[in-house]
Amino acid sequence: MAELSSQAPRRHMQANKRRHPKAKPRKRFWSFIRKLVLWCLVMAAIGAAVGYFGFMMAWKRYDNWAAEFDLERINDLEKPSIIYDRNGEEIGRIYVENRSYVTLDKISPAMINALIAQEDSRFREHPGYDFLGILRAGREYIHNSGDANQGASSITQQLARNAYDLKNRAKARNEGSFGRKFVEIALARRITERYSKDQVLEFYLNRVYFGSGFYGIRAASLGYFGKEPADLTTREAASIAALIKNPNGLSPLNNPASNLKWRNHVLNRMAKEKYITPDEAERLSAMELGLNPKPLKRGVSHIYDRISSEITAYLGEERVNAAGLKIYTTIDRQLQEVTGKALEQALENIEKQPGYRHQKAADYHSGSANKPRYLEGALLVVDNKSGAVLAYHGGRDYTKRQYDAIRDGARPTGTAILPFLYATAFDTGKSPVTRILDDAIDNRLTGIGGSEGILGEWGAENSKNRYEGMITAHRGLSASKIAASLRMGMEMGTAPFVKKLTDFGIRKPVREAGSTEVNPVYRPKIFVGTEPASLKEMTLAYTAIPNGGSRPQDIYYLDRIEDEDGQLIWESTQAIETRNNAQVRKGATSTATAFQLHNILNSSLKNGSAQRIAPHLPKNFKGGVKTGTTYDFADNWLFGYDSRITCGIWVGFLEGKKPIYHGAFSSDTCASVLGAAITEAERQFPAGELAPPPSVERVEICLTTGKRATHSCYDIDPSDKKYRRHTIFEYLRKGDSSLPFCDLHGEDISAPVSTFTAQNRILPLPPILPTRPILQGDDPYHTELNQVPANRNFELLGAGENVPEAQALSADPVSSDHTDTSITLPAPRPITIPVPEFIHL
């Protein structure tokens, strides 16, 4: 029984097991899941902690790197050196990056809105980096298998990258793109903490590259649309904002279609960000680009090259290119532009001449393998007193040919050399009234253009040259008489002429073969400009005429250089002398000779070789002009001056000696250029009268004899039979008594009275007929004269009537100044006829 009782609990347990089956492992599964999740959370927390600490350790590295950058230098830009004219106007710049800084208030709001809409829509909210933008870029990166099409850099990050050149710095540190991005973010955060959002925008817009060589918003605004950034419209601002994605590829100058497409994309972005309405975006998208390029100019010209080379030699290339220097020159911007246009127009007009048979500038392309051979021209305008350059054109187009004809060129001067030949003559005893023979001369005596021929056939300043026999030196120079001038030169000899050329600063002519320094030999052809000289030499030489016989030591175009703070760092010696009125000049000739030359060159405009130039000059022009043409019409020169400036012009070919065209005289090819230069120069620098110096005196000269006039120097004008005073006025050296008085029209009043004889010519005065009877009472012998004789060859003058103003009777008078030569003939005096005594044998 007891045994049965002990087995009862066991049976009971077995019965219960049968009634309650064994539990399934479901609860264990969820228990496992719970444990797994718990372990994952624990591991995630541990991983996060490890990752956080690892990230922070890595971030600390990049953050420390970002902290190394000096935020005070974030706006350190390359500052171009600006070239200013004499009035402080910009005429060029020297730079590596073409940039011009402008403050944010001078930038159109449309430009700022376009930039933010395109590049960083949350710019004003984020702390320098856009976390959402980074996530979008990351998603794009994963979706495209490592090829990101959407940028994650905010405007501030882009500024950090460009301002501190992070790409190159990362390469130097062997950092990858992710490491550089971390530095960008860290640096952007620091920039945002240091500067305001508006300051960041200003820094960015003045630094970013906008394609086509334009750095900064002002360069781009002017370079694409010809306006200041403050004036940009929404359409124009969108075009510029589109460039940031691909500056050169989307440049409207290089690829207008692509720029138009991306401009419209920016307009749509602006509409989405509610800067403009969708309708406005649609309207603007239908419009053209509206380009109007007026870029900031580097200064592509010969004078820019001269200035850049000189200041680089003074200060070094690195300092000039990025120091923001202020370079003040002597150039007058307006005169430079006017003369440049006039010169180019004149050269184009020459190329249109029927006889022009050479290459034209428009047909030559810079990329050609052949050298340019088109017609060239050069112009130089200088201040007479100081030598300061006011306008400088060393050639026609610097981009096609960099050769500087002013500095490096030397061409035969032709008749432009004649004033210095006559200066030699006047300084060695001759005067403007010296008689010289204008007649044919054998070319074999001179060696011009061959071994045969008659001199005078070549190089005369007009196509109807004629010999005039005995003429004055005044006439010889004013009319550029070749044969007469050369004959006068041969009479003087070459030695004094060569010496005078060096006095004027003109290089010595080339000596003949076999000559030595001790015994230099020159052919007489040097008297008429067969030897070369530069435009610089000739222009400086001509300044001696209005300068009273002296010329500046040299030309100069650099006045002074200042740093960006306005501190003087260099100044021209000639500029200092000019400001102190202590210019050093070289004496070339006497004051008397200089004024005599001026008087002749001024009269040449009225009745000499420069007559065709006079219509191009201002009215009442008080200066002088000298033409210059070589015997083969290969080189044309023209010089003009007034009391303030001197202008020199050359036109010809740099290669060989070939005529511009047959009959190409400088008075035809260069007149318009000189006219434009003188007109603009007189507007900028009003000229005064060139008064005669004390060393000369105004003397009346008989035109027939070339001697001092007497009260008897009248003649009958064959054209109208009027009786006129036959004289001119000339300037001679004061006290010069070598010129006698006229002995043709009456007594030589310079001779002693005792020498007067009956052999002296009688004054050729036609009788003045009475207008009423001269007898009182009867006239039994009919002595009353007929008042109107049938065969008179002179004009009857009434009582008290003036003799008409004297007119020059020569074919080419020197001067028309006869305002004080009219006289009134007195009433006839009673005539007593002596009755001879008859001697009775």
Side-chain angles (χ1 to χ4, degrees), residues 78-81 94-97 298 304 308 311-312 316-325:
E78 178 204 274
K79 296 179 181 178
S81 294
I94 301 173
Y95 56 81
V96 175
E97 298 177 354
R298 178 188 293 270
Y304 168 85
S308 179
I311 65 170
T312 300
E317 184 174 358
E318 183 177 351
R319 187 174 186 187
V320 171
N321 284 341
L325 302 178

Side-chain angles (χ1 to χ4, degrees), residues 21-317:
K22 188 176 180 180
K24 294 181 179 179
R26 187 174 181 181
K27 291 184 178 179
R28 292 182 180 179
F29 174 76
W30 286 110
S31 175
F32 173 76
I33 292 299
R34 286 194 297 271
K35 292 178 181 179
L36 180 63
V37 170
L38 180 61
W39 277 104
C40 286
L41 289 175
V42 171
M43 294 303 295
I46 295 172
V50 172
Y52 173 78
F53 286 108
F55 175 80
M56 290 305 295
M57 290 179 65
W59 177 259
K60 187 67 175 176
R61 175 190 173 198
Y62 296 115
D63 197 42
N64 289 339
W65 183 16
E68 295 176 4
F69 297 107
D70 184 0
L71 294 186
E72 300 302 319
R73 304 192 63 181
I74 191 173
N75 205 31
D76 280 0
L77 300 170
E78 178 204 274
K79 296 179 181 178
S81 294
I82 309 298
I83 304 173
Y84 298 98
D85 80 340
R86 64 189 300 111
N87 300 313
E89 296 187 43
E90 181 179 333
I91 58 174
R93 47 182 50 208
I94 301 173
Y95 56 81
V96 175
E97 298 177 354
N98 187 4
R99 190 193 311 277
S100 181
Y101 199 89
V102 60
T103 55
L104 194 67
D105 61 323
K106 299 294 179 61
I107 301 174
S108 166
M111 183 67 240
I112 297 171
N113 294 339
L115 172 66
I116 293 175
Q118 169 66 11
E119 293 296 312
D120 191 356
S121 60
R122 298 183 65 247
F123 169 74
R124 296 201 179 271
E125 292 125 32
H126 62 60
Y129 57 92
D130 187 359
F131 185 72
L132 294 178
I134 293 173
L135 291 179
R136 285 195 303 269
R139 184 184 61 185
E140 188 79 10
Y141 182 84
I142 295 171
H143 181 74
N144 291 286
S145 301
D147 184 15
N149 293 323
Q150 182 170 344
S153 295
S154 66
I155 288 175
T156 316
Q157 285 177 255
Q158 294 180 49
L159 173 63
R161 180 195 314 152
N162 292 329
Y164 297 100
D165 196 15
L166 294 185
K167 285 187 177 181
N168 288 327
R169 289 175 182 266
K171 288 181 181 179
R173 294 169 61 107
N174 293 320
E175 292 286 351
S177 59
F178 283 107
R180 177 174 57 80
K181 281 290 182 183
F182 287 146
V183 176
E184 276 185 20
I185 293 171
L187 190 52
R189 180 179 57 80
R190 291 188 63 218
I191 291 171
T192 304
E193 292 172 355
R194 171 65 179 81
Y195 296 104
S196 69
K197 292 290 185 178
D198 283 349
Q199 286 178 303
V200 170
L201 285 173
E202 182 177 309
F203 297 157
Y204 180 87
L205 284 168
N206 280 286
R207 179 180 290 277
V208 70
Y209 179 56
F210 287 105
S212 298
F214 303 137
Y215 290 82
I217 185 59
R218 184 166 187 261
S221 180
L222 291 168
Y224 294 124
F225 299 106
K227 57 175 61 175
E228 293 293 336
D231 301 322
L232 287 172
T233 64
T234 300
R235 170 174 57 96
E236 294 162 346
S239 279
I240 294 176
L243 296 169
I244 298 173
K245 179 180 177 64
N246 184 357
N248 288 323
L250 297 180
S251 167
L253 298 180
N254 303 329
N255 196 343
S258 294
N259 181 263
L260 183 66
K261 172 185 174 182
W262 282 96
R263 180 205 69 178
N264 293 345
H265 168 76
V266 175
L267 291 172
N268 290 332
R269 288 288 307 155
M270 294 180 72
K272 184 176 181 181
E273 298 298 329
K274 301 189 182 332
Y275 290 118
I276 58 176
T277 65
D279 290 343
E280 187 177 3
E282 183 178 357
R283 178 180 63 82
L284 294 175
S285 296
M287 298 176 68
E288 296 180 352
L289 291 175
L291 299 178
N292 182 30
K294 294 180 181 179
L296 292 167
K297 294 182 179 179
R298 178 188 293 270
V300 184
S301 65
H302 293 84
I303 185 58
Y304 168 85
D305 185 60
R306 297 276 70 79
I307 292 169
S308 179
S309 298
E310 288 197 19
I311 65 170
T312 300
Y314 295 147
L315 304 175
E317 184 174 358

Side-chain angles (χ1 to χ4, degrees), residues 810-832:
S810 76
D812 231 328
V814 177
S815 173
S816 60
D817 184 1
H818 303 284
T819 56
D820 59 348
T821 59
S822 299
I823 63 173
T824 300
L825 294 179
R829 296 179 180 178
I831 300 176
T832 302

Side-chain angles (χ1 to χ4, degrees), residues 584-652:
V584 178
R585 304 190 189 96
K586 293 182 65 176
T589 187
S590 65
T591 58
T593 293
F595 190 79
Q596 288 171 335
L597 293 175
H598 161 65
N599 188 49
I600 296 172
L601 297 184
N602 178 267
S603 71
S604 177
L605 291 164
K606 303 179 181 68
N607 42 49
S609 61
Q611 290 182 79
R612 295 199 297 275
I613 298 169
H616 297 272
L617 299 172
K619 292 181 179 179
N620 301 318
F621 176 64
K622 299 178 177 65
V625 171
K626 182 66 189 79
T627 54
T629 304
T630 55
Y631 71 90
D632 52 5
F633 299 110
D635 294 277
N636 282 181
W637 302 77
L638 188 58
F639 296 91
Y641 63 83
D642 58 26
S643 64
R644 295 289 301 278
I645 63 97
T646 296
C647 175
I649 303 164
W650 167 81
V651 169

